[in-house]
Amino acid sequence: MTKYVSENKFLFTNCSSRSAYAAMRNLSKYGIHAIVCDSTRLGMSQFSRFSKGFEYYTSHYLDEEKFINDLVSICVKHKIDFILPSHNETEIIARNIHKFGKYVKAIVPNPDHCAIFNNKKDAYNLAASIGIPVPRRVKYNSPETIKNKLLEMKIDRTVIKLLTGNSSKGVFYSDNPKSTQETVFKLIHKYNLTPERYPQIEEFVSGDGYGSSVFYWDNRLIANVTHRRLREKIRTGGTSTLRETTKHQKIEEASFKLFDHIGWNGMAMCEFKVNDKTGEFWFIEVNPRMWGSIPVAIASGVEFPYIAWLSAKFGSDTALNFVKTCEPKIPWRGRWLLGDIFLFASALLRFQLIEAVRILFLCKSNSVDDFYFDDPLPFFGQVLLYLRNSITKRSLNPSQKGMVK
């Protein structure tokens, strides 16, 4: 297996995240220098020995133009060759990539495609239009009609989603039509939503969460891996704390159909709900960027960041040849340790001692997302960030202004 080594400089944005840290670790072992940047000085990559430098930028939630100008300045200062965003800033960088100059290459999707998947209504419409199953939705123009529409459709349990959000932020649940209507009214008032931004109402579907993750380049599928969620930080959905690589032909084919149809470029994870008893599955959303559980993909042998660099540097043929030499480990379990610590503490507060012990001490995994003996400080940087956010925002799953809408 040929291993290409380089001294190219990569700029990782939103470097406080697990996904950015995992990507930095992966590329660092090939000699690719990592400059990391974020709108906070606390986080994982900021504390890592693999980082070759940290830079601060203005949050894109506060000022998009200043955010881009800050990134351009960082690229000039450090002579950056490649940019790899890791979160919601991906679409903004994709829209403004022309401002970085011809010597900086960003591994990003088409911004128009990114915008479609960042809008839940547009994403569902696209999936449904090409025959991919989606949960039944309630179409309404006036919130006053929601209760009656649900009664007519014989839908009790619903999922209410703001059109923009991530990691369960902006997602709400209801057990009856009256509660659904009340929740929608509250959200419209809280976020001052206009009719075109009204929340999406879906029928609640029962099943396990699956993710089909891909990397495309030059209109070709270069690499993919599928995982099943085994445990989540929030029981109704959201960030997984334990997940396992697996195979699922139906959802893989559905995700390839979706990405092929739109002409995708870059990384993405397509999320589904799967009812293993009936075989039914439903499209849930697309993360049009790196995803939070990418550490398990990398640890199992699907090195998405390195594959992305090979594609951008040498072309898709070189990347495909590398992928052919890899043998992904299936099943392979990956664990987010800090997430499980949160669940452990929550179980203790509910006096569920057996559950607490099972979560933290009886959990078997092949790899951990956020703690490494060769680089332990990032774990504590992550802890400090969560502590600060929990104290200042009084939430273990906080959102910034503009993150959900």
Side-chain angles (χ1 to χ4, degrees), residues 193-204:
L193 300 175
T194 54
E196 66 273 11
R197 297 293 306 181
Y198 279 174
Q200 176 164 285
I201 303 172
E202 308 167 13
E203 181 179 21
F204 178 87

Side-chain angles (χ1 to χ4, degrees), residues 171-381:
V171 179
F172 308 86
Y173 297 84
S174 173
D175 289 327
N176 60 75
K178 181 181 177 182
S179 173
T180 298
Q181 183 166 292
E182 290 173 350
T183 299
V184 170
F185 270 114
K186 290 177 183 177
L187 291 173
I188 291 173
H189 177 73
K190 179 178 180 179
Y191 293 97
N192 194 28
L193 300 175
T194 54
E196 66 273 11
R197 297 293 306 181
Y198 279 174
Q200 176 164 285
I201 303 172
E202 308 167 13
E203 181 179 21
F204 178 87
V205 292
S206 180
D208 292 332
Y210 280 70
S212 175
S213 304
V214 301
F215 177 74
Y216 277 75
W217 200 258
D218 295 336
N219 295 315
R220 304 166 77 182
L221 174 64
I222 307 298
N224 72 284
V225 69
T226 299
H227 71 270
R228 179 168 66 98
R229 295 165 176 253
L230 303 178
R231 187 160 60 232
E232 295 168 326
K233 191 177 78 168
I234 300 173
R235 294 187 178 187
T236 50
T239 306
S240 62
T241 67
L242 184 68
R243 83 294 295 186
E244 180 179 78
T245 59
T246 186
K247 296 292 293 183
H248 195 292
Q249 183 178 349
K250 287 184 177 180
I251 69 166
E252 289 166 5
E253 290 176 349
S255 66
F256 301 159
K257 182 179 182 180
L258 181 64
F259 293 124
D260 287 342
H261 175 81
I262 202 171
W264 186 254
N265 184 78
M267 297 189 200
M269 190 269 282
C270 191
E271 184 180 336
F272 296 87
K273 279 277 191 175
V274 178
N275 188 318
D276 288 325
K277 293 181 180 179
T278 66
E280 292 178 287
F281 69 93
W282 302 269
F283 169 87
I284 298 299
E285 67 176 358
V286 168
N287 290 326
R289 51 174 171 77
M290 278 204 286
W291 52 98
S293 57
I294 196 172
V296 73
I298 296 170
S300 71
V302 187
E303 299 181 81
F304 280 104
Y306 182 59
I307 292 165
W309 174 75
L310 286 177
S311 300
K313 178 74 174 179
F314 300 107
S316 55
D317 286 339
T318 299
L320 278 169
N321 288 334
F322 172 78
V323 171
K324 289 175 183 177
T325 67
C326 302
E327 294 183 9
K329 304 175 185 70
I330 300 174
W332 181 276
R333 285 191 175 188
R335 179 189 194 188
W336 176 30
L337 180 58
L338 183 58
D340 268 352
I341 291 174
F342 290 144
L343 292 178
F344 168 79
S346 178
L348 283 181
L349 291 173
R350 298 193 306 271
F351 299 103
Q352 297 176 344
L353 301 183
I354 295 176
E355 175 70 4
V357 170
R358 184 187 68 82
I359 289 171
L360 197 58
F361 301 108
L362 302 181
C363 168
K364 293 183 179 180
S365 65
N366 303 105
S367 60
V368 175
D369 296 357
D370 50 348
F371 182 82
Y372 296 85
F373 286 105
D374 67 346
D375 194 27
L377 290 182
F379 178 80
F380 298 101

Side-chain angles (χ1 to χ4, degrees), residues 119-142:
N119 182 301
K120 290 181 171 55
K121 181 171 67 176
D122 292 344
Y124 270 64
N125 288 342
L126 176 61
S129 72
I130 59 173
I132 296 175
V134 301
R136 284 197 296 166
R137 291 175 290 168
V138 180
K139 296 182 180 180
Y140 65 97
N141 295 317
S142 173

